[in-house]
Amino acid sequence: MTPPAASSLPIVLLPIGSDDDALDACLAALDAATPAGTRLWLADDAQAGPRGLAIIERWLARTPLQADYTRRPRMLGEVAHIDQMLAACGDADVVVLAPDAQPLPGWLQQLAACFARDAAIATATPWCNAGEAAAWPRLGEVSPPPMDAERTAHACAAMPPLHPELPAAVAHAVALRGNARKRVGGLDAASYGSWYAALVDLSLRLAGLGWRNVLCETAFVARGGEAGPSDGDMDSLNARWPAFTPRLANFLMEDPLRVPRERLGDLYAEAGSPERQRDLFG
């Protein structure tokens, strides 16, 4: 199968954080795992310090990606900042990455293919070592990032693309379908202080209109640790969506993703030398 052109892939949105080392690792992973020419927006809510700005400047000078960088003169806040990014993208499909995310090879092509398989999918979340409901190898646990990125990516790419339902999208990396996002409106920056909670709320609004929030089991994005809500966010979520927390708890206890998680483990064990798989991620 011919890989999609970079211009047809979702726009990658990366809100810049204050952790310089995480930023450096994220940008290096993007260069290694993402097709040249992919559109990428680095949006800085007045977070990066002098070292972070130097890292971004050096990276922009040499990246093969079609990257743009913007910086606000003063901090707006995480949810309002991401909401403005989404609004600026109109009805384009996008992928929002966490500032400390490290995508594995083929990740963006796989998310695009996930959207192409089912027009009812509004959000697609890849596997993550710290992905809560989308965590691998153990559900709901934070594991170290994969030691062998290409072998892990190859195993994911061999997974049957069934795209099971998640309770909500997860904040390490999420593909958002543009026309679905526009139907439900923007993020609720008045009620939530964290992207974690605002994304859950967005997911549940999408589900209420019949859209799907799914696992893209053919992609993997690593992360240093799980995201979490800001003070008061869970109170706001529980007041608006009282069924969500019990649903998430049941999901974690019943573990409906046990079979695909075990299948991924088997595929990882069976994977050949990553040197022989490089052509899959060209």
Side-chain angles (χ1 to χ4, degrees):
M1 184 175 67
T2 302
S7 60
S8 67
L9 294 172
I11 302 168
V12 180
L13 307 182
L14 178 61
I16 300 297
S18 57
D19 185 331
D20 298 338
D21 291 334
L23 172 63
D24 201 13
C26 177
L27 296 178
L30 279 166
D31 273 351
T34 313
T38 295
R39 296 164 293 172
L40 171 65
W41 180 10
L42 286 71
D44 186 353
D45 189 28
Q47 292 288 304
R51 180 168 176 257
L53 293 173
I55 289 170
I56 293 168
E57 184 178 0
R58 287 197 303 270
W59 180 82
L60 287 172
R62 58 176 171 76
T63 181
L65 306 181
Q66 184 183 324
D68 292 299
Y69 170 71
T70 60
R71 179 180 173 89
R72 294 187 59 84
R74 60 187 64 84
M75 189 171 66
L76 182 63
E78 184 176 43
V79 178
H81 179 56
I82 295 176
D83 189 45
Q84 287 193 356
M85 295 172 70
L86 295 175
C89 292
D91 61 358
D93 296 342
V94 303
V95 177
V96 182
L97 271 183
D100 62 344
Q102 295 187 34
L104 270 59
W107 73 289
L108 193 59
Q109 300 97 311
Q110 294 292 351
L111 286 169
C114 177
F115 271 4
R117 291 186 187 102
D118 184 354
I121 293 174
T123 75
T125 301
W127 294 110
C128 183
N129 58 292
E132 199 174 62
W136 184 83
R138 290 178 293 278
L139 179 69
E141 295 185 21
V142 177
S143 303
M147 293 288 291
D148 191 331
E150 290 199 14
R151 187 176 180 182
T152 304
H154 173 60
C156 288
M159 287 284 290
L162 303 178
H163 307 319
E165 207 84 18
L166 293 174
V170 191
H172 58 278
V174 57
L176 299 171
R177 191 182 295 274
N179 61 348
R181 190 183 72 245
K182 289 198 74 174
R183 284 280 303 278
V184 300
L187 303 179
D188 187 350
S191 300
Y192 306 107
S194 67
W195 168 232
Y196 171 93
L199 178 59
V200 170
D201 177 76
L202 178 66
S203 301
L204 297 178
R205 283 187 280 140
L206 287 162
L209 290 179
W211 299 91
R212 301 183 63 217
N213 301 294
V214 306
L215 172 72
C216 180
E217 64 269 73
T218 56
F220 199 107
V221 173
R223 190 175 191 185
E226 282 184 338
S230 298
D231 290 344
D233 278 354
M234 293 312 298
D235 292 337
S236 298
L237 273 176
N238 289 330
R240 182 174 295 175
W241 307 102
F244 172 70
T245 298
R247 182 187 176 198
L248 177 60
N250 287 336
F251 187 94
L252 295 174
M253 288 188 294
E254 295 171 5
D255 193 7
L257 297 184
R258 179 181 58 82
V259 171
R261 230 177 30 256
E262 290 176 351
R263 177 59 176 154
L264 179 55
D266 292 341
L267 288 167
Y268 180 85
E270 296 165 5
S273 167
E275 292 296 327
R276 296 200 296 269
Q277 308 303 334
R278 290 186 186 278
D279 60 321
L280 292 176
F281 310 115

